[in-house]
Structure formats: structure tokens, C-alpha cells
Amino acid sequence: MSVYVVRRGLQSVVVLFAMSLIVFLGVYAIGNPIDILINPQADQIDRERAIAALGLDKPLWEQYVVFLKSAATGDLGHSFVHSTPALRLIVEKMPATMELAIAAMLIAVVLGIPLGLWAGLRPHAFSGRAIMAGSILGFSLPTFWVGLMLIMVFSVMLGWLPSNGRGPTVEILGVDVSFLSLEGWRHLVMPATNLALFKLALLIRLTRAGTREALMQDYVKFARAKGLSNARVIGVHVLRNILIPIVTVIGLEFGSVIAFAIVTESVFAWPGMGKLLIDSINLLDRPVIVAYLLVIVAIFIAINLAVDVLYSALDPRVRLSDSKG
Amino acid sequence: MTPLLQVEGLRTHFFTRAGVVKAVDDVSFAVDRGEVLGLVGESGSGKSITGYSIMGLVDPPGRIVAGSIRLDGREIRELDAESMRRLRGNRMAMIFQDPMMTLNPVLRIDRQMTEAILAHDDVSRATALERARDALGRVGIPSPDERLRAYPHQFSGGMRQRVAIAIALLNGPDLVIADEPTTALDVTIQGQILYEIQKLAREAGTALVWITHDLSVVAGLADRVCVMYAGRIVEQGTTAQVLDAPLHPYTQGLLDSVPSRNARGARLRQIAGMTPSLVDLPDACAFRERCDRADGACGEAPPMRVAGGDPGRGARCHHPLVPWPCP
Ligand SMILES: Nc1ncnc2c1ncn2[C@@H]1O[C@H](COP(=O)(O)OP(=O)(O)OP(=O)(O)O)[C@@H](O)[C@H]1O
Ligand code: SF4
Ligand SMILES: [Mg+2]
């Protein structure tokens, strides 16, 4: 197990290193930030001084080496625009995104698993079919469009919910959160629902398919032959088995919820990391873009590790062995 | 005396898109306490569905459409879901064919055993655990205390089937339906398990319905035999009657294809042809296409006829190997 963790840690470092290289080159290719950052009226001397101050006068490989050296000490560079550390900018915005992503995932899980279970138990009934039809909508409607529709209906037409921002936040343990006040809830519910929709549809389908498959297994028939109640057969025997793929998917999808929060954050002007990324791209603020992408990759790696550990806890047939990749 | 299990005119049909599948069609038999009944037939003849029907485990699109199933004189088709649940695993139990599939892969053995006790008896978890451990010991599982904490994948196929048998016997059922429980195991393990179940059933006076496609298994085990073909019982009698003096051409065909009963080196005879599709089966003898005794009369389905005045002995055939009325 400990060998396993060390191995996974080393793998993560390699992945991060490779990612940094790709991202660095990619961002370099997007465009030259100087054109945006420096006053067009500035004279040549000012211009060159600014370029040197940002380290942009050096060749690309040297810039990369400088970046790597400071990255090794935890410093991902300073924002060109704000001249604060890029990492700090991102970490400041992280709670907003995390709160949104967790709220969205909770909505998807709390609704998706029961609905999927229901649809799996009654595949031919009207209710089961209706749930499936709904999940197709959840899959096919584009997130930004649904977001705009939500705003149209609930903010513009009905005036029930605010259309943008986070509302007032409350600080707990040094982190700002919205969900502790009613006003915060009113701001959170619409973007969270918007972000949840796709995952909700996914979880419904996954749970339904798993339920239908499990119901055909001999162990379910045997459980019933033992005289167990229906509630126990479904709640223990079926659920414990389908939970394995579901937990895996929830974990892996959580990373993509964080990443795809970009769209929802833009639509609802939610002040999170995604919005920061879009703003940084507009200003070609390279260090922030690079830092954001590396943070996302790091989150994905951490989630993957957590999922593997959880998976082995849920499925007795899987043990984290040192031979596993 | 009423038999422990009495099945009469049981019909279980599946209503599929392709048509009505008459998986079990007018099946009647009885089993006494302590008796072993062999239910024999080719794959798809309706043996398992007969077992599921008795247990109340037929899934849609299947449904029992007619017949009566009496356990200890009580009609169980009339019971509500909860009363039926209380019978299952308690008064009657079932063991399935594939031990690799019958235990839940993600639950520990102790949990899968104690839940079967707690579903029927109001006892403490500790008592249930103790009973589970004793049950494992009885079916010949070494160091049961340790094995209780294991998961199914840590057992061999034979050991898993022993666990399944232990679970089936946990609450001391009156009736056990064993659906080919040894088919998936190798021959030596098969023999051991056959022996164990037989012993346990004898000791407790449990009635046993042993489903198999293998007549040689039945020979050493069953008191009486029912031969099933295309959803119907085509011949019944004591094991000696059916194996030594079969009436139905299908039974004869089955006997001819058993290796151990034939002289070494002699060619085994397979029954020609295939089992008919059970969808919208015509009202004729279902064995007609494969039978070398068939004639015009066989276009009409033969009824079960009692042979030689013995109500437990009979066949469904117009031209049995020993002509009616078969002394
Ligand atoms: N869900 C179902 N839908 C339609 N037909 C079914 C269904 N389940 C079983 N049947 C039909 O019922 C018939 C009897 O099946 P059953 O499982 O009882 O056979 P069996 O005698 O136990 O065979 P085997 O030796 O292969 O286990 C089969 O021919 C099958 O086509
Ligand atoms: S009824 Fe006719 S076809 Fe059917 S088994 Fe007897 S002889 Fe053969
Ligand atoms: Mg079967």
C-alpha cells in the first residue's frame, strides 16, 4: 500500500511536469501579451524595460526553465496584470468554484441515484420512461443555453432569484461560503442546478443501467429466495453493487464539474476560478492561465487517487496492489 | 396423509413479444417429507421455472397462469407477498446452479448468512452469527470462524456452493429445491456435495426436489423421478421404475445417452433433433418430431396416464415402450 502511494506520487509529478510543458507551449502560441499589457503610446525604451521585467525577452526554453525552477518552490509566477502571485489569485477564487461544484454534484447525486433506481425498477412504467426522457434532455441541451433560460424565467420573468454573483458570503474556517445565508442560497441554487443538469442525466442513466443489470443477477434471486424483504434486496444487494461504478463516476466527474464550471460561472457571473480563467485569457495573462491549468490537473490527480482508494474500499475483489499501474 | 408439497396443473407462461412461451404447462407432482424427487430434463424443458414457480420467484414477463401449489396442505398461490416472503428461505429454500453467481460479490459471508436468519427469526446478531458458523461447519467448511469474515471471491466454486447450501439450510426448511447445484463443479467435488446434501436432508427429514439434466445423478440420489420435456412431465415413477423400465420414448432416449449405463466402447446414442420452441406450442405431443414411434395419433397431445393402477407411475405417450395399460 505505501509503495503504491509513493508510486502514484511519482507518477503525478511526471504528469504535472508533462502538463506544464504542454500548457506553457500552448499558452505561448495564443499570442503576445505585450500588445495588450503595454500602453501603445509607450516609447521603445519603456517597452523593452517592461518586456524585461516580465521576463519575456528571454528565449522560450529559458522562460520555461525559470518557470520550472520557481514552480519547484511552489511559486507559479506573478500575474502580469495584477502583479500578485498567480497561485494566490486562483486560491482566492477556489472556494467559490468549489462551493458551486459541490452543490452541483450534491444535486446530481441526491436526485440522480433515486431517480435512476426508480427508472431501473420500473423500466416499462410511465414514470420510468418519463425519467429517461428527462435525462435525454439533460444530456442534449447545452449548458449555457439552459443557464440563460433559467435566468430568463426565474430572474427576468418571475423575479424570484438573482441572476448573477455570489451574494453575501459568510466566513467559516477562513473560507467564504454562500450556503450559510438565505440570500446566499438564492444566489447559489440556479447556477448549481445549471451545472448539475448534465451530471444528473449521467447519474440517472448509470444508476438505471446498473439496477437493471443487477436485478437479472442470480445473487438477487438468491437474496429473494432467502426471504429478504424487497427493501433489503434493493437497498443492500442491488445498491451495494451498483454503487461501485457510481462512486467511480461521481469522483471522476467531480473534476470535470470543476473544470466545466467555466461556462456556468460566465453565464451567472459567479466569481470563481473559471471566470478568472476567462478574464485571464482575454488579457493573455500567461502565468495565471498556466497556474490555473496546473491546479486543475493537480485536482484531477488528487481526485483520481481518492477514487482508487474508495473503489478498493467498496469492492472487496479489488485491492490496491503494488503491481497495479 | 397430505404430501409436504403438492403441485397440480401448474402452468407458468412468459408473455414475450414473440408470443406466449409455455415454459411450464400442466405440471403435477407431489413430494413427501424426507423424500428426494429427481426432476430431469434437457436444457430449456422448464425445470428451473418449475422451481421458481414454487418459490414465488417468477419474474415478469413470466406469470403463473393456472394450477395449485400446496405446501403442507396450504395453498401458497393465494398468499400475499409478505406471507410468501416468510415462507421463502424459512419453510422452503432453493439452491442455484452456478455457485459463482449466487453469492453477492461485495458482501461478506457473515452478512449474507445472518441476514437470512434475521429475516425470519427475532434473534440477536450474536446468536445469528453463531448459527451461521455452525451451519458452515456442518457443510464441511474448515475454520468457519475465519471464513465467515471472507468475501465470496476468496472461496473456490465447491466451497461457495457449500456456503449456498449452508444458507439454504440455515432455518431448517421443510423443502429444499436444488437446481443443478453440482453441474458447475468438477466430478470429485460433485460427489462430495451430493453426499453432503443427501446426508443433511436425511438427518433433518427435509424433502428435496433435485433438478438435473443428468440421469446418472438421479440414480443414486432420488426416490422418485419426474422426466420433463417442453414444459410437461412426460414420465414419472420410482427411480427404479423410470430407469429400469421406462415407458416414454424420450426417457429411453435420455437413458441411451448416459455414458456410465452403456458398455465401454459402445457408441452413445444422442436423441436426434432439437427441443421444440416453446412459443405457441401446438396442441400435439411435443416430442413428435424426434420420436420414432410417432404416428397420426400423436398429433393430439397425450394425457398423463396412470400405469398399472399405481397413481405415482405414469407417462404422457400414446405408444409407450410397454403398451398400455402397462402392468
Ligand atoms: N424471462 C423469460 N422470457 C421468456 N422465456 C423464458 C424466460 N425465462 C425462461 N424462459 C423459457 O422457459 C423455458 C424453460 O426455462 P428453464 O430455465 O426452466 O429451463 P431449464 O429446464 O431449467 O433448463 P436448464 O437446464 O438450461 O437450466 C426456456 O425454454 C426458456 O425459453
Ligand atoms: S405420444 Fe407419440 S410422438 Fe409422443 S412420445 Fe409417444 S409415441 Fe412418440
Ligand atoms: Mg435451469
Side-chain angles (χ1 to χ4, degrees), chain B residues 248 285 295-303 305 316-320 323-324:
Chain B
H248 200 283
C285 175
D295 67 7
C298 306
E300 201 172 307
R305 257 176 88 170
R316 274 183 198 269
C317 178
H318 292 301
H319 313 293
W324 294 115

Side-chain angles (χ1 to χ4, degrees), chain B residues 85 104 155 162 164 169 192 209 211 239 265 318 326:
Chain B
R85 179 194 76 69
N104 193 322
F155 289 77
R162 282 168 200 265
L169 299 178
Q192 290 170 13
V209 174
I211 294 173
T239 306
H318 292 301
C326 315

Side-chain angles (χ1 to χ4, degrees), chain A residues 215 217-219 221-229 232 236-238 240-241 244 314-317 319, chain B residues 52 55 57 59 85 88-89 94 96 101-107 111-112 115-116 119-120 151 153 164 167:
Chain A
L215 284 179
Q217 301 294 317
D218 271 3
Y219 62 74
K221 205 159 209 136
F222 191 59
R224 284 164 63 205
K226 290 195 282 192
L228 304 186
S229 65
R232 192 169 170 95
V236 176
H237 285 261
V238 172
R240 267 304 304 268
N241 273 277
I244 294 168
L314 277 176
D315 191 340
R317 291 162 295 188
R319 285 283 167 255
Chain B
Y52 295 155
M55 294 290 290
L57 290 176
D59 286 320
R85 179 194 76 69
R88 272 199 294 269
M94 188 158 174
F96 296 146
M101 310 297 290
T102 40
L103 298 174
N104 193 322
V106 301
L107 298 178
R111 184 133 179 228
Q112 302 196 47
E115 69 178 359
H120 301 289
Y151 285 94
H153 72 275
I167 290 176

